């Protein structure tokens, strides 16, 4: 294993984790590095977590699933190979990772994270930059699904983020929410920005209040985004789903004012479907984990509006060039997964919205 090839802890540490970068050597940050040092010995500002569950991000798991035609053993073997080679879980195709839950095993005396030994936590930084070592060969995981029971350890840096698991929610449920908690927080902040303007400030398609279109509205980040939009004052909330079965999940919940079935990769088809639900919106949120949604999302956004790309499958060059080619006056945001207070806000939405909670709990049952 990687841990056996490196020397004991020595030298200064970086709050950003630069000291854990093995390849390329130099000043690369852990996210951009190819190989990290995952050994369990910690620097004074670090925290070691005993792993309980890994949660792969949707784009990464989909890529692995498609590559191996759903062969669970092959998927498991590749995850083990990635972690064993890179010292972190970073899908080399998507560049993304996921997150984990576990128990704090050791806290450095200079750690600023406010954690104590024995705390059960969810990490709110990507596995793609988290030093990670697996000790059980993922023997309890059949490769079918994003949640992975696992043993091993992970390392948090001085500038990492983690949240203590709430006592009133099952750990698996809390993990699902925290995995996408950046989405509702940024949606709320963006919608409130539109709600604070008068009709004379912006050519809003919704004079009675801001409007939002969510691509992938029945998913985890999509359903929380709809709930956040309603909480922030969005009066027209259009959920775009891929088929009738997903539409049935949202009908009658009140999360969306309109539910439309459309292919989020089809520009004209999507634009026509959204037009039937009131037309382009102030805000379009992309929560689907497939490629090719950039131009369709731009077409569903009103002039002066905003597109938030939360999908790791997004091609940002295609988004920029697509907006230029369509002469679209839109602001495009990268959903980076962090907004101050994002975890607490997402959990608050789950507790306070029965429809969202039912959707999440049904996913656990599945």
């Amino acid at each position: 294993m990687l841990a056996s090839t490196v020397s004991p802890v020595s030298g200064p540490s970086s709050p950003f984790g630069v000291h854990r970068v093995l390849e390329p050597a130099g000043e690369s940050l852990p996210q951009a590095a190819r190989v990290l040092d995952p050994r369990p010995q910690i620097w004074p500002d670090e925290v070691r977590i005993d792993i309980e569950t890994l949660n792969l991000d949707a784009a990464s798991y989909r890529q692995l699933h498609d590559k191996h035609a759903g062969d669970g053993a092959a998927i498991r073997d590749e995850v083990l190979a990635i972690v064993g080679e890179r010292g972190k879980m970073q899908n080399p195709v998507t560049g993304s990772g996921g997150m984990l839950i576990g128990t704090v095993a050791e806290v450095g005396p200079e750690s600023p994270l406010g954690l104590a030994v024995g705390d059960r936590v969810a990490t709110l930084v990507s596995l793609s930059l988290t030093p990670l070592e697996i000790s059980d060969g993922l023997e309890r995981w059949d490769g079918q699904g994003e949640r992975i029971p696992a043993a091993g350890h992970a390392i948090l840096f001085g500038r990492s983020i983690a949240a203590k698991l709430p006592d009133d929610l099952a750990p698996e449920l809390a993990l699902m929410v925290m995995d996408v908690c950046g989405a509702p927080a940024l949606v709320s902040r963006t919608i409130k920005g539109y709600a604070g303007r008068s009709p004379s400030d912006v050519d809003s398609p919704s004079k009675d209040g801001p409007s939002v279109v969510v691509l992938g509205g029945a998913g985890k980040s999509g359903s929380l985004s709809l709930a956040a939009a309603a909480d922030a004052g969005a009066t027209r909330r259009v959920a775009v789903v891929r088929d009738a079965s997903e539409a049935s999940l949202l009908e009658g919940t009140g999360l969306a004012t309109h539910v439309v079935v459309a292919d989020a990769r089809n520009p004209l088809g999507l634009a026509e479907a959204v037009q039937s639900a009131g037309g382009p919106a102030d805000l379009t949120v992309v929560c689907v984990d497939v490629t090719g949604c950039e131009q369709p999302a731009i077409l569903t956004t009103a002039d002066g509006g905003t597109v938030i790309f939360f999908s790791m499958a997004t091609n940002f060059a295609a988004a920029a060039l697509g907006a230029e080619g369509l002469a679209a006056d839109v602001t495009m945001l990268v959903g980076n997964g962090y907004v101050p207070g994002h975890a607490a806000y997402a959990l608050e939405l789950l507790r306070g919205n029965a429809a969202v909670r039912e959707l999440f709990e049904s996913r656990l049952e599945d």
Side-chain angles (χ1 to χ4, degrees):
M1 299 294 289
L2 270 170
S4 64
T5 67
V6 292
S7 58
V9 166
S10 62
S13 64
S14 158
F16 305 107
V18 175
H19 58 288
R20 289 273 181 174
V21 174
L22 295 181
E23 185 183 326
E27 295 300 311
S28 175
L29 291 170
Q31 173 72 41
R34 201 186 78 83
V35 181
L36 298 183
D37 170 5
R39 60 183 143 169
Q41 295 85 359
I42 63 172
W43 269 262
D45 63 345
E46 292 182 332
V47 173
R48 188 176 79 251
I49 307 292
D50 285 341
I51 301 165
E52 178 181 320
T53 305
L54 305 177
N55 197 81
L56 299 186
D57 74 283
S60 178
Y61 181 75
R62 178 184 286 273
Q63 186 275 327
L64 293 169
H65 184 276
D66 292 349
K67 175 182 177 180
H68 297 290
D71 183 337
I75 296 171
R76 181 181 62 240
D77 289 346
E78 180 155 1
V79 170
L80 284 169
I82 291 171
V83 176
E85 177 184 352
R86 308 194 73 169
K88 58 178 178 174
M89 179 54 216
Q90 184 177 35
N91 185 310
V93 176
T94 65
S96 54
M99 60 181 294
L100 65 84
I101 59 175
T103 301
V104 175
E106 185 178 5
V107 178
E110 298 175 14
S111 170
L113 302 186
L115 300 176
V117 172
D119 286 344
R120 295 189 72 204
V121 298
T123 60
L124 301 180
V125 290
S126 175
L127 294 177
S128 63
L129 57 83
T130 302
L132 176 66
E133 193 168 80
I134 294 171
S135 61
D136 68 345
L138 303 182
E139 60 185 8
R140 292 170 290 157
W141 184 46
D142 61 4
Q144 301 298 322
E146 300 165 11
R147 291 192 302 280
I148 308 175
H153 70 267
I155 303 297
L156 298 182
F157 311 127
R159 283 289 294 269
S160 297
I161 315 166
K164 296 179 184 178
L165 291 175
D167 295 332
D168 62 325
L169 298 175
E172 295 80 9
L173 181 59
L175 176 62
M176 290 177 68
V177 175
M178 292 181 182
D179 186 37
V180 295
C181 62
L186 185 53
V187 167
S188 175
R189 185 163 71 183
T190 306
I191 287 291
K192 287 178 179 177
Y194 282 98
R197 304 182 190 184
S198 69
S200 61
D201 293 328
V202 62
D203 294 328
S204 171
S206 307
K207 299 302 184 183
D208 295 330
S211 55
V212 62
V213 170
V214 179
L215 308 187
K220 294 183 296 184
S221 58
S223 58
L224 277 172
S225 293
L226 288 167
D231 183 57
T235 54
R236 180 166 62 96
R237 303 179 301 280
V238 181
V240 177
V241 296
R242 64 184 176 186
D243 53 37
S245 64
E246 285 198 345
S248 67
L249 295 175
L250 292 175
E251 290 170 353
T253 64
L255 289 172
T257 57
H258 302 76
V259 179
V260 298
V261 176
D263 185 346
R265 299 165 297 184
N266 183 331
L268 299 182
L270 180 62
E272 182 179 351
V274 170
Q275 188 63 43
S276 71
D282 296 306
L283 172 64
T284 297
V285 188
V286 181
C287 296
V288 290
D289 58 349
V290 295
T291 57
C293 298
E294 297 84 7
Q295 287 194 358
I298 293 165
L299 281 177
T300 66
T301 309
D303 285 344
T306 301
V307 184
I308 301 178
F309 292 104
F310 274 107
S311 170
M312 291 295 101
T314 301
N315 182 320
F316 295 102
L321 295 174
E324 177 185 301
L326 294 169
D329 177 22
V330 295
T331 298
M332 295 184 289
L333 303 178
V334 179
N336 72 355
Y338 176 69
V339 175
H342 59 339
Y345 180 60
L347 291 171
E348 178 186 326
L349 287 174
L350 182 84
R351 294 185 181 103
N353 192 309
V356 169
R357 183 159 187 162
E358 184 176 344
L359 281 173
F360 272 74
E361 289 178 339
S362 68
R363 286 178 172 272
L364 282 178
E365 292 171 2
D366 291 341

